[in-house]
Amino acid sequence: MNSPTFSPSGGSRLDSITNILTNAATWVSIITFGTLPILFLPGVFVSLGYAKMFVVTVGICLSLVLFAFVFLSEGVMKFRPSVGLISMWGVAAAALVSAGLSGDIYDAFIGNSFGMQTAAALLVMALAGTVASALGVNKSSAIKLYVVLCVSALVLGLFHLLRFIFGVDFLSFNLFVNATSSPIGGWNNIAIFFGLVIIIAMIAIEQLPLSKWGKALFLGVSGIALLMLAVVNFFAVWLILGFISLAVLMFTIIKKRLSRTPELVQSNNQQTAIGVGLALVVFSTCVLFIIGGSVIGGLVNNATGVNFIEVRPSLGATLDITRAVYGENILTGIGTNKFGDAWNLYKDQSINQTNFWNTDFQSGSNYALTMAVEMGILGVVAWLVFLGWFLYTGLRYIFANTVSDPIWNFVVTSSFVAALYLWFSGFIYTPGTTIIMLAAVCSGVFFGAQSVASNKRALQISVLDNRKLSFLLVGGVMVIIVGSISVLYFLGQHFASLHNFSSAVNELVQGGNIEVAEDKIVSAYQQFSNDVFAREIASYQLAKMQALLNVAEPTQSQQQQFQSSMIDGVNAARLATSEDETDYRNWQLLGNIYTFMARVGVEGSVDLANEAYANARKYNPNNPEIPLLEAQLALVTDDVEGARAKALEALQMKSNYTAAIDFITNIEISQGNLDEAVAAAGASISLDPRNPARYYQLGLLLAESGDHQNAVNAFSEAILLNPSYANALYFRAVSYLQLEENSRAIADLETVRDLSPDNTGIQEIIDAVKAGNIDLGAAPTEITDLSDGQIVEEDSTVSTNESPDTDLVSTVNTVPEEGEDS
């Protein structure tokens, strides 16, 4: 008997099941993509970007399984071949090749953040575009997606407005701790997203036959969006949005002349003043902020209390990194998600003279160049093919449009313009997960809608009359289901391991037990091997060794613990280097452990430490911290000249390196060379009079010799050149105490406390001075963890409280004019 495997039995029942499955798959996709801007997982210890990618991947896999069952239920597979989607998958394929050849597959494939520079994220991007194309072939589904996005925009805008009013503790969910924290992922991503919302609103009001409620929705969202854009004040978004609003304004006015069919002429006659008015308001606001953004930005900052300056490598610095990487591997680059490694290897050494000397930038001046560095020429070609075809298809549709249905025309036009805007943002900035994923979704919607609106013939494979095809369909469905389950299992393990690791670290920060935290991290490593986990375990073992060494009369049990920590620390650090030998931090920690062992007399540790530091230099050759660690190691073996030479090498890399200056100063003092050191410090100032570190060194030496008045003068010169020089402020306060000028000492100490809020010891010293309980003859001579600049690295975003002091780093936001910022 040759009856088909999927012959319908009870048509109405089968249609009902198919409709339920189709609606479920559609709504899962709409909710997943539409709520992406406000999506977050409270109470989990993973980054916000990771949480978004996790939920999106789960949503996509669920949609794919449901769509697979739809195909199975219907017995028919319909699809329209799309060069655009194929080229998007080409980008994912190039990313996988780059990751596989990177030498560090874990970080290149998924890393610890699952960020949009990883191969896994680009694979999910292609999946998102494919699923979104299924929404694009149904205009109703596409409209629903836009509505959900607009609702998300309203929620996001109200969330921030309420926090401006009631403070950052309102609706913080123990996750959004700063005024610039946002569910969308990054402060400047807010501007890009609300620019997208305004674009969709302008096109919708211009093209759709909206009801009063529909117009009210888009106008309300546009108003909130403009307000949020003013708060963020991202100059590039103002520029792009101004150009698009001008184009919409001009098109709205002359669109009747562009109409090609009687139906469109009739539709265009229905235009209202609302579309012109919205486009005019948006354009005028953009011009206002483009011309006077710095002044207006200062006023807005004062009103909202938001002072945020995001920084990134400049275009020139990124191009230098690109050239260096291409000199080593032009075909596949350094590997996806490995721009940070390229930065450490090839950054201009002059950046060591700035506050950004130890900042590990994880992306370049924009997403496009970052991808070029990470994926090489293979990736560049893949991206150009995809974007080129997308642009060609979209422009061809717009200029040859004969579609009579205004809703289809809106879906195709809006999805193309929205995707074009979002992809272009990647050429001027490095957007976060939300923006890149929405770009892929809008592209998918465009490819699907354009194929239907242009009456492209759908290919149909029916299994009702072909048993062989039926088995192929079953096999395809099984691949989708099993593949989706496998992806979710892999991702679940990865998610659980990071959550357990981060929760353990958080508990320790809150004062938890180090043994319990270490056990949790070991468990996390067993779930998913990761060099970060191993490195953390090694650092805890080193901390335990240091604590046990300070015990005056250790018991036999403590001695055994010391030996055990030494063995476990070395093993964990070596495990970290084997998991990722390209991360200099793994080698640096291993060197620190061997240095500690050398101090306690473990034979052979010196050579092993030098070997580890040499490997750390290999992957971060311009970091002055490494030669300083080598100097400290040399001092362990009483090699004073070798230690001095290494410390001077660190100073050659970074002439204002405070830690190296402290080290050299202590060497000179210990060797009885105080007078010569003072003379040398004075001579160095005459050669480099604009270097605050030289005055700081002179101040330390003068204070050690007992000349506290001149020490104060030297520290004051350092502070004049660098008002945020916390170490100079602290030691000037110590000299003030020796001169019995306690009020001035307290003022300096309070400034240090504000510069280094995490250093609780400063407040204790202030309290002691105020109470008169501090021994002025034994004033503290050193204190750790002081900050010489307020640079914050969070979720691959680097921000600061002042404009960069180097051309190698540029700002993203418009910096308020002097005297206008908050």
Side-chain angles (χ1 to χ4, degrees):
M1 183 177 179
N2 295 321
S3 60
T5 304
F6 296 106
S7 59
S9 174
S12 61
R13 176 179 173 81
L14 187 60
D15 290 343
S16 175
I17 294 174
T18 301
N19 289 335
I20 290 173
L21 291 172
T22 302
N23 289 333
T26 300
W27 274 109
V28 168
S29 303
I30 290 173
I31 296 301
T32 300
F33 299 142
T35 61
L36 185 59
I38 58 173
L39 191 153
F40 66 94
L41 297 178
V44 298
F45 296 95
V46 295
S47 67
L48 183 61
Y50 189 105
K52 287 179 180 292
M53 286 301 301
F54 179 81
V55 175
V56 167
T57 305
V58 171
I60 289 174
C61 288
L62 182 57
S63 297
L64 288 173
V65 170
L66 290 171
F67 277 127
F69 280 119
V70 170
F71 298 148
L72 199 63
S73 175
E74 287 186 320
V76 176
M77 180 180 293
K78 298 178 182 179
F79 63 94
R80 291 174 172 83
S82 171
V83 176
L85 288 179
I86 293 173
S87 62
M88 187 182 290
W89 279 99
V91 172
L96 290 173
V97 172
S98 176
L101 298 177
S102 66
D104 182 10
I105 295 179
Y106 172 79
D107 281 341
F109 181 72
I110 191 169
N112 293 317
S113 62
F114 200 0
M116 282 311 306
Q117 294 166 214
T118 62
L122 292 175
L123 186 62
V124 173
M125 179 194 77
L127 284 169
T130 303
V131 172
S133 68
L135 299 179
V137 299
N138 186 309
K139 59 186 178 183
S140 174
S141 298
I143 295 296
K144 290 173 183 175
L145 175 62
Y146 283 139
V147 171
V148 175
L149 272 175
C150 287
V151 172
S152 295
L154 283 173
V155 172
L156 182 64
L158 290 174
F159 170 84
H160 284 289
L161 291 176
L162 289 173
R163 281 165 59 83
F164 292 150
I165 296 172
F166 298 107
V168 295
D169 292 333
F170 186 71
L171 298 176
S172 68
F173 301 101
N174 293 322
L175 182 63
F176 309 112
V177 296
N178 302 314
T180 55
S181 301
S182 175
I184 203 170
W187 189 240
N188 287 302
N189 287 285
I190 296 176
I192 298 175
F193 173 65
F194 279 113
L196 169 69
V197 171
I198 292 175
I199 290 170
I200 293 175
M202 287 192 297
I203 297 175
I205 290 176
E206 188 272 328
Q207 291 191 347
L208 289 180
L210 296 172
S211 64
K212 290 183 179 180
W213 287 107
K215 293 175 183 176
L217 171 65
F218 284 114
L219 288 175
V221 169
S222 298
I224 292 178
L226 281 174
L227 185 59
M228 290 305 302
L229 283 172
V231 174
V232 179
N233 197 18
F234 191 171
F235 178 80
V237 171
W238 287 123
L239 204 61
I240 300 170
L241 190 59
F243 175 79
I244 294 177
S245 61
L246 178 61
V248 171
L249 179 63
M250 295 173 62
F251 181 79
T252 304
I253 294 173
I254 66 171
K255 65 180 178 179
K256 287 189 291 186
R257 295 185 179 182
L258 298 178
S259 301
R260 303 291 180 86
T261 65
E263 292 84 356
L264 284 178
V265 172
Q266 183 179 1
S267 173
N268 290 342
N269 286 331
Q270 299 172 358
Q271 72 175 45
T272 65
I274 297 178
V276 175
L278 176 60
L280 185 60
V281 169
V282 173
F283 177 70
S284 301
T285 306
C286 290
V287 171
L288 181 65
F289 275 86
I290 289 171
I291 295 175
S294 59
V295 176
I296 300 174
L299 298 175
V300 173
N301 287 353
N302 287 329
T304 60
V306 174
N307 185 20
F308 180 83
I309 303 175
E310 183 179 345
V311 294
R312 57 189 173 170
S314 65
L315 178 61
T318 307
L319 288 173
D320 289 341
I321 298 295
T322 307
R323 282 189 287 267
V325 169
Y326 281 14
E328 297 291 332
N329 188 350
I330 191 173
L331 181 61
T332 58
I334 197 168
T336 50
N337 199 39
K338 291 178 67 63
F339 182 90
D341 288 358
W343 177 259
N344 288 329
L345 280 169
Y346 305 117
K347 65 184 178 183
D348 192 311
Q349 189 169 326
S350 64
I351 201 169
N352 284 337
Q353 313 308 320
T354 74
N355 290 338
F356 303 97
W357 69 276
N358 205 25
T359 301
D360 293 332
F361 287 102
Q362 299 302 313
S363 60
S365 62
N366 56 63
Y367 186 73
L369 275 179
T370 302
M371 287 288 95
V373 169
E374 295 180 347
M375 296 175 64
I377 292 298
L378 180 65
V380 171
V381 171
W383 275 105
L384 288 178
V385 169
F386 163 63
L387 294 174
W389 182 260
F390 164 77
L391 188 62
Y392 166 74
T393 307
L395 293 178
R396 185 180 63 177
Y397 173 86
I398 290 177
F399 289 111
N401 178 24
T402 58
V403 178
S404 59
D405 188 325
I407 297 181
W408 270 123
N409 194 48
F410 163 73
V411 171
V412 179
T413 303
S414 60
S415 60
F416 170 70
V417 176
L420 181 62
Y421 162 76
L422 293 175
W423 287 126
F424 186 74
S425 70
F427 286 88
I428 58 173
Y429 180 58
T430 306
T433 298
T434 300
I435 302 303
I436 299 298
M437 289 301 297
L438 285 179
V441 168
C442 291
S443 299
V445 170
F446 165 73
F447 289 133
Q450 184 268 339
S451 65
V452 175
S454 301
N455 293 318
K456 285 188 177 180
R457 187 171 65 90
L459 298 181
Q460 179 172 304
I461 300 176
S462 174
V463 300
L464 299 178
D465 300 318
N466 191 318
R467 181 180 293 273
K468 292 182 179 180
L469 285 178
S470 70
F471 285 115
L472 287 176
L473 180 60
V474 170
V477 169
M478 289 298 294
V479 168
I480 292 174
I481 294 174
V482 173
S484 297
I485 293 174
S486 300
V487 167
L488 292 179
Y489 174 79
F490 169 84
L491 191 57
Q493 289 290 101
H494 189 259
F495 181 93
S497 67
L498 285 175
H499 169 74
N500 292 336
F501 168 75
S502 300
S503 63
V505 174
N506 183 71
E507 288 178 10
L508 195 60
V509 171
Q510 300 298 325
N513 185 283
I514 190 172
E515 303 290 344
V516 175
E518 190 174 0
D519 288 341
K520 287 185 177 181
I521 295 174
V522 171
S523 176
Y525 184 87
Q526 291 172 347
Q527 285 179 300
F528 210 102
S529 58
N530 188 329
D531 68 294
V532 174
F533 301 169
R535 187 169 68 237
E536 194 71 17
I537 293 171
S539 67
Y540 290 161
Q541 297 297 341
L542 179 58
K544 285 194 287 186
M545 283 189 287
Q546 291 169 336
L548 289 169
L549 186 64
N550 292 328
V551 177
E553 296 182 2
T555 64
Q556 183 176 0
S557 174
Q558 290 173 326
Q559 292 175 2
Q560 291 175 348
Q561 289 179 13
F562 184 87
Q563 293 293 331
S564 177
S565 294
M566 186 181 299
I567 295 172
D568 291 343
V570 170
N571 289 338
R574 284 199 170 278
L575 187 60
T577 61
S578 65
E579 291 286 351
D580 183 5
E581 66 173 11
T582 65
D583 193 328
Y584 77 96
R585 293 170 295 184
N586 295 334
W587 293 108
Q588 184 172 305
L589 178 58
L590 180 60
N592 292 344
I593 292 175
Y594 281 133
T595 298
F596 178 86
M597 293 167 61
R599 287 195 180 102
V600 298
V602 177
E603 186 177 352
S605 297
V606 173
D607 292 338
L608 291 172
N610 278 318
E611 180 183 349
Y613 288 141
N615 281 313
R617 274 182 181 254
K618 177 181 177 181
Y619 297 108
N620 197 349
N622 295 320
N623 189 342
E625 185 177 8
I626 298 173
L628 181 59
L629 291 172
E630 292 174 326
Q632 294 170 354
L633 175 63
L635 207 58
V636 171
T637 60
D638 295 327
D639 182 6
V640 176
E641 291 305 316
R644 182 185 284 110
K646 290 290 185 180
L648 288 173
E649 182 184 355
L651 273 180
Q652 288 176 350
M653 291 184 178
K654 178 175 172 60
S655 62
N656 55 359
Y657 193 15
T658 299
I661 288 174
D662 290 343
F663 183 84
I664 292 174
T665 301
N666 289 332
I667 286 181
E668 302 302 340
I669 292 172
S670 66
Q671 296 296 306
N673 299 330
L674 193 57
D675 293 339
E676 294 87 342
V678 170
S684 69
I685 289 175
S686 63
L687 295 174
D688 192 8
R690 302 298 299 171
N691 187 343
R694 299 300 183 185
Y695 292 98
Y696 168 75
Q697 182 182 28
L698 178 61
L700 289 178
L701 292 167
L702 290 170
E704 180 65 26
S705 67
D707 189 355
H708 290 287
Q709 185 58 60
N710 283 322
V712 165
N713 295 337
F715 288 133
S716 297
E717 289 293 333
I719 296 165
L720 184 65
L721 291 170
N722 181 7
S724 298
Y725 203 156
N727 284 279
L729 282 160
Y730 171 74
F731 284 107
R732 187 174 71 173
V734 172
S735 289
Y736 276 141
L737 290 175
Q738 299 291 347
L739 295 172
E740 298 185 356
E741 298 184 34
N742 288 15
S743 59
R744 290 185 173 182
I746 291 173
D748 278 354
L749 290 171
E750 288 176 342
T751 303
V752 173
R753 177 197 60 196
D754 295 338
L755 288 171
S756 305
D758 295 334
N759 194 315
T760 57
I762 297 297
Q763 186 59 51
E764 295 176 2
I765 296 174
I766 294 173
D767 294 338
V769 173
K770 289 182 177 179
N773 295 329
I774 192 167
D775 183 0
L776 301 184
T781 57
E782 65 177 6
I783 193 162
T784 59
D785 297 328
L786 291 183
S787 169
D788 291 327
Q790 296 184 22
I791 299 173
V792 179
E793 299 179 57
E794 183 178 2
D795 245 5
S796 300
T797 298
V798 180
S799 60
T800 182
N801 62 331
E802 56 189 20
S803 298
D805 51 352
T806 171
D807 292 337
L808 298 174
V809 176
S810 58
T811 61
V812 175
N813 305 76
T814 300
V815 181
E817 289 187 354
E818 187 175 353
E820 293 289 344
D821 70 325
S822 56

